[in-house]
Amino acid sequence: MADSREPPPLFDDDDSRKDDENDDLFTSAVQSPVSEGGSLTPTVEEDVEKPGEQTDPLSDSPPEAAAHSTIQAQPSDSTSSPLFSQSPSLPRADTPPMTSEPVDLFESCSLGGNDSEDVTPTAVGPMTAGQEQVSTMSDPFFDDDIPDDPTLLMGSLVAPPPTPQQDLTSPALAPALHDETSCVLDSTTDLDTTIKAEKEVDLVPSVSASALEPVDMEEPTDDASNVVETEALPQNSSPGNPPVFLDDIDTSEIPLGNEPEEVSLDDNDDTGIFQSTAAPKLQLNQNDNEKKDEFIEITVTDPQKIGDGMGAYMAYKVTTKTNISYFRKQHWSVMRRFSDFLGLHSKLVEKHLHSGRIVPPAPQKSAIGTTKIKLGSDKSAESSIEFIEKRRAALERYMNRTAAHPTLRGDPDFREFVELDAELPRATQTSALSSAGVLRLFNRVGETVNKMTFKMDESDQWFEEKTQQIESLDNQLHKLHASLEGLVNYRRELAISTAIFAKSVAVLSSVEEHSALSRALHQLSEAEERIHTIHNAQADADYFHMAETTKDYIALIAAVKDVFHERVKAFQMWQHSQQMLAKKREAKAKAELVAKPDKIQQAQAEVTEWETKVERSQEEFERISKAIKKEIDQFEIIRVKDFKETLVKYLEALMTSQQQIIKVWETFIPEAKAIV
Amino acid sequence: MMDVMEEVLHAETNGTKGGRSDTVDLNDSSLQVDISDALSEREKVKFTVHTKTTLAEYTKPEFSVVRQHEEFIWLHDRFDENEDYAGFIIPPPPPRPDFDASREKLQKLGEGEGSMTKEEFNKMKQELEAEYLATFKKTVAMHEVFLTRLAQHPIFRNDHNFKVFLEYEQDLSVRSKNKKEKVEGLIKNFNKTTDELLLSATQKDVDEYFEKEKGFLLEYHMAIKDSTAKADRMTRCHKNVADSYIKLSSGLSQLGAIEGPRFEKFVNKVSEAFEKGRKVEGRVASDEDLKLSDSLRYYMRDTSAAKDLLYRRLRCLANYEQANKNLDRARAKNKDVHAGCFVQMAELAQQNACEKFEQMSEKAKEELTDFKMRRVAAFKKNLVELAELELKHAKAQVQLQKNCLQSLEEEC
């Protein structure tokens, strides 16, 4: 399963480093191609398989389970455990009864934690290997590599919802939970002992039975997640299942520090993406399931000005409603200022762009609008109210788009942003005038030059087509946006001129000496006044439903282009390494000709170094290509859905205004007829 | 392209003529006038005036002549200048055919051709052609209304100039005014305005009715003029909104083409709905124009004509008072030997002026009452029609959107 191409040593280093630095589990998981895993695999797989076999081999659930447990445990860990953040992947069955459960889970987790602690010391060496294996298994990118048929995975995807529940009861879940819990939870409970015992008992059978496939590993996650959400399930699982747990731990020797968990989390994310990309049709179903399963809705309200003068800023209330288990509450609010939103965006971009994720763009800074608000003159009150409302709506859409991405919403920064009930550290980098801003500007210029000068020969037809499609989509969206702006402007003008006409008719009616006609004209004036309001509301609908959505997608398309560019950069890197390798080989050949042993040795060392670099960069390139494909497929599905919904809503809005117009004229007709 | 339009116009006006003469009651069929055809040739519009009559003065019971806009104005001026008609509201002259706006838009469209797709361009062009056609029809209708009102009027219908206008087969060879005449007209107009202002400021009216009427008409004219302008602006905006749906619907369907089949099918339905909605919206705009702005505009002109009547009466009153003064002066000089004949002359003039003024006042009172009735009836009719049309279109829109939403639902 482990492909020969994976160059283990370097990567490992990188991974570890990355983890340390970024806390970015995802990247580490992705990068570790898991050559080692191949050797380790057998043990892990066996453990895993068992759970999978019981229900279906399909879903990637195991990692998720881990994630869930971690989440629940999180409260205790709080911000410190960045690893867990990534866990929130897609498929969660919605079992609403969250309230009572969390506690249960927590307890179980804690129990597991104890166990793990016990285990850990013994199995240190194997652990690492096991971890790596897990990561490989779960890695979506490497799915192909996995010995099991990818098709199986696909099939499994279809069925996911049912399986998890079954799994829950079944012991399979336990392992995952266990791992996670152990990692996460420091607290210990009395229960631990009981659990341990159970686990041990179970262990034996599970090991023997375990069959095999890495796929199974994935499944557990779903189950686990489901379990967490559903009431009582955790409890059930813990008593009955624990044995499996033990098996896993012992056999695979996953004593688990945080690392294993991290891996599992990453897997979850990836799997989610994978599912979407792999089987679009299935995915649709899954989406529905997901909706049921996981729900997060963010509203941005109550914009308020804080401070005075140029130091003033706008703060918004960010309210989150969710049933996702890794959030501590289901409903809460925090205050955030505009630059916090930008800061969140740049953090997410920094972390996720290079792995090929489309990070939804934050609304643009507007110097004019902001200054107006800061100066806060009464004259501009109306326009700044409009400006603030536009921005508020844009922020809300931005937050929800980000939250809709299973990986991004699990990012520690995102969760901190949404959850931390205190002021975030000031994001200095977002200010256009800061040194970071200038630096960014330079970088951007450099990138643009690079974009213009470097033309990559596209070997992948899919990318060629997509790049083209994105390009024409970009054009078309710009056109559409322009015509929508035109429509909005015309309609606003219509509303204004209707209001003016209404006033003028009111004057006319007061002058008119014929009393009945005067009355009718007065009614006409009122009717026009109401129509003015209707037109205005419709113009708002034009704007907020259509124009803004289109604008958002123009920005999103830019994000997609950035992602494509990341890939080009990876390609460049690869090319560069290849060239260097060729040079070094040449140097080595020369050295051999001259027959200087010390030089040969040095050249040899360099050749091997660059060989690994080539391998690594090639792999990086392939990884990002795969990741982008998945992201784009997902993006397309969401985009089409989004547009459909928008259009339907817009049509409904149009219909409502026409119905209102009908009412206006219906009341007017008798007045006109009453003229004698 | 204009040529094409002309042909279209030729055919269309034949079918739709007479649609706008509703402001006049047509019970009396002894003299019926309509414009059976109109042809636009470059700057000029040729109207075919068709007359059907049972009156004995006319040699034939039915005949047609070709007249141009200038000849209509000539006819109006004949009435306006005739002292005998001073006591009447002279029907307002039809506005000059003005297609500049359409031409200008067409030119603009041609310039912007590069920025839109062929389909969009064609649709915009169609819209403009339709607009041009509508303006043309309206122009014809206004000319027709002018003639029908004259033909309906118990006094005006017997006017000699009117008869000539209707019957004389040759060109009336009224040329448009040359420069000198134009300047003269301008000065005359200016004089009249200052005189009017002076009179309205200095001349005290003995009759309260007219005093009141004068105040009302002044105010009313201002108000209705304002409303007309605002209504025009509103309908224009409405038209713009309707036109902007063109780009929206084509933009959407192109987006669908890029997005791929599933979305394309969906979006095509929406864009179709927008396209149909646009047509309805365009009709709302043109109906508002026809029923609201145009009736406002017509009564703005009519009010202006009524104002002219009041001015003439006031002028007449001033003359009468002047005659009184002259008589007084003549009598004062009576001691003189030769004064006798002067007094006699002054007495005669005073008597004439008095008679004229009284006749005129009586006539004017009738005319003003008539004007009021006419106005109320016309407004009632147009307002009811406006509301009904608005209702009809709004309902059509709702139906359209409902259908669209339904078919979208089925799709999903």
Side-chain angles (χ1 to χ4, degrees), chain B residues 192-234:
Chain B
K192 190 189 141 202
T193 321
T194 43
D195 191 38
E196 192 175 353
L197 275 175
L198 191 73
L199 280 178
S200 61
T202 57
Q203 186 65 52
K204 187 94 181 76
D205 203 319
V206 280
D207 194 329
E208 229 177 79
Y209 172 80
F210 282 105
E211 189 67 25
K212 207 186 103 210
E213 217 37 38
K214 191 180 78 185
F216 163 71
L217 282 178
L218 275 178
E219 223 181 320
Y220 195 75
H221 184 250
M222 295 225 313
I224 204 169
K225 200 172 162 191
D226 184 61
S227 297
T228 310
K230 302 290 154 62
D232 274 346
R233 191 169 156 223
M234 185 175 78

Side-chain angles (χ1 to χ4, degrees), chain A residues 503-625:
Chain A
K503 284 199 188 93
S504 174
V505 169
V507 173
L508 184 66
S509 87
S510 69
V511 174
E512 174 62 60
E513 55 181 6
H514 190 275
S515 61
L517 181 54
S518 166
R519 204 166 41 243
L521 285 175
H522 183 71
Q523 293 297 325
L524 177 67
S525 158
E526 280 186 355
E528 294 290 354
E529 189 64 50
R530 272 151 68 200
I531 285 172
H532 147 77
T533 331
I534 297 169
H535 283 323
N536 240 344
Q538 184 57 47
D540 282 345
D542 290 342
Y543 185 80
F544 285 111
H545 286 159
M546 294 293 292
E548 287 292 81
T549 310
T550 316
K551 203 171 155 199
D552 282 0
Y553 272 96
I554 290 174
L556 274 168
I557 293 284
V560 171
K561 283 183 178 172
D562 284 348
V563 167
F564 278 156
H565 182 60
E566 279 305 312
R567 179 171 164 272
V568 173
K569 281 204 307 207
F571 180 76
Q572 264 178 301
M573 197 62 184
W574 178 28
Q575 296 288 311
H576 173 72
S577 320
Q578 269 180 338
Q579 280 166 10
M580 287 304 285
L581 178 60
K583 269 188 203 163
K584 297 295 172 197
R585 278 193 176 137
E586 217 173 281
K588 188 188 159 203
K590 269 186 195 164
E592 275 169 352
L593 271 179
V594 186
K596 282 186 182 172
D598 53 331
K599 273 202 178 170
I600 293 177
Q601 207 173 13
Q602 194 195 336
Q604 177 59 42
E606 278 179 343
V607 167
T608 36
E609 184 196 334
W610 281 100
E611 268 171 355
T612 53
K613 274 190 185 164
V614 166
E615 265 180 71
R616 214 200 314 166
S617 51
Q618 180 184 1
E619 207 160 283
E620 171 76 9
F621 175 68
E622 276 160 13
R623 180 185 64 72
I624 201 174
S625 298

Side-chain angles (χ1 to χ4, degrees), chain A residues 97-404:
Chain A
M98 289 281 304
T99 54
S100 62
E101 299 166 3
V103 180
D104 297 332
L105 286 173
F106 193 75
E107 289 177 358
S108 64
C109 293
S110 65
L111 293 175
N114 288 336
D115 293 341
S116 66
E117 285 180 354
D118 299 344
V119 179
T120 325
T122 55
V124 179
M127 279 204 40
T128 54
Q131 290 178 358
E132 289 193 29
Q133 283 199 350
V134 175
S135 67
T136 55
M137 308 278 298
S138 54
D139 243 348
F141 302 115
F142 296 97
D143 292 337
D144 298 339
D145 300 349
I146 298 171
D148 304 337
D149 297 347
T151 52
L152 280 178
L153 282 173
M154 307 271 290
S156 65
L157 292 176
V158 186
T163 50
Q165 293 187 351
Q166 294 178 1
D167 292 344
L168 291 174
T169 50
S170 66
L173 297 174
L177 284 174
H178 181 71
D179 295 344
E180 296 171 352
T181 53
S182 63
C183 301
V184 179
L185 303 174
D186 301 336
S187 65
T188 56
T189 32
D190 301 346
L191 295 173
D192 295 356
T193 55
T194 57
I195 293 173
K196 276 188 179 182
E198 289 182 9
K199 287 178 181 175
E200 289 177 351
V201 177
D202 294 342
L203 283 172
V204 186
S206 66
V207 174
S208 60
S210 69
L212 9 150
E213 303 159 358
V215 178
D216 296 353
M217 292 289 295
E218 291 185 357
E219 286 185 320
T221 35
D222 289 344
D223 300 350
S225 62
N226 294 329
V227 177
V228 174
E229 296 196 13
T230 51
E231 304 171 351
L233 287 175
Q235 291 189 348
N236 294 339
S237 64
S238 61
N241 304 333
V244 180
F245 225 150
L246 289 175
D247 292 338
D248 293 345
I249 297 168
D250 296 349
T251 54
S252 61
E253 301 166 354
I254 311 178
L256 321 175
N258 293 334
E259 291 189 320
E261 289 183 346
E262 293 181 3
V263 176
S264 64
L265 290 174
D266 293 351
D267 295 347
N268 289 337
D269 297 347
D270 299 349
T271 51
I273 299 170
F274 166 75
Q275 290 179 347
S276 63
T277 49
K281 282 183 187 174
L282 300 178
Q283 226 240 317
L284 286 179
N285 300 336
Q286 274 226 331
N287 273 343
D288 294 344
N289 293 335
E290 271 178 52
K291 264 189 212 154
K292 274 180 231 148
D293 297 345
E294 282 205 348
F295 152 88
I296 180 163
E297 185 188 311
I298 299 177
T299 49
V300 177
T301 50
D302 299 347
Q304 45 185 272
K305 186 177 157 188
I306 295 180
D308 272 317
M310 285 315 281
Y313 61 90
M314 294 300 300
Y316 303 84
K317 189 173 171 188
V318 180
T319 307
T320 313
K321 273 188 202 167
T322 184
N323 65 359
I324 299 175
S325 46
Y326 53 77
F327 287 106
R328 271 167 278 169
K329 284 182 266 179
Q330 283 173 298
H331 185 209
W332 73 95
S333 323
V334 291
M335 289 304 288
R336 291 286 176 261
R337 51 185 294 179
F338 182 65
S339 54
D340 292 338
F341 289 89
L342 296 183
L344 171 64
H345 175 249
S346 59
K347 278 183 202 159
L348 290 178
V349 166
E350 207 176 294
K351 270 195 258 181
H352 295 280
L353 180 61
H354 64 84
S355 46
R357 284 201 177 50
I358 301 169
V359 181
Q364 299 260 310
K365 254 184 126 68
S366 156
I368 299 172
T370 321
T371 314
K372 254 191 201 163
I373 292 167
K374 280 180 178 167
L375 298 179
S377 62
D378 295 332
K379 268 186 294 176
S380 59
E382 199 158 299
S383 68
S384 59
I385 285 173
E386 200 186 310
F387 169 78
I388 291 172
E389 169 56 23
K390 273 185 196 173
R391 174 170 275 182
R392 186 205 61 75
L395 287 174
E396 192 171 292
R397 289 193 308 274
Y398 160 66
M399 288 309 290
N400 280 310
R401 273 189 221 294
T402 309

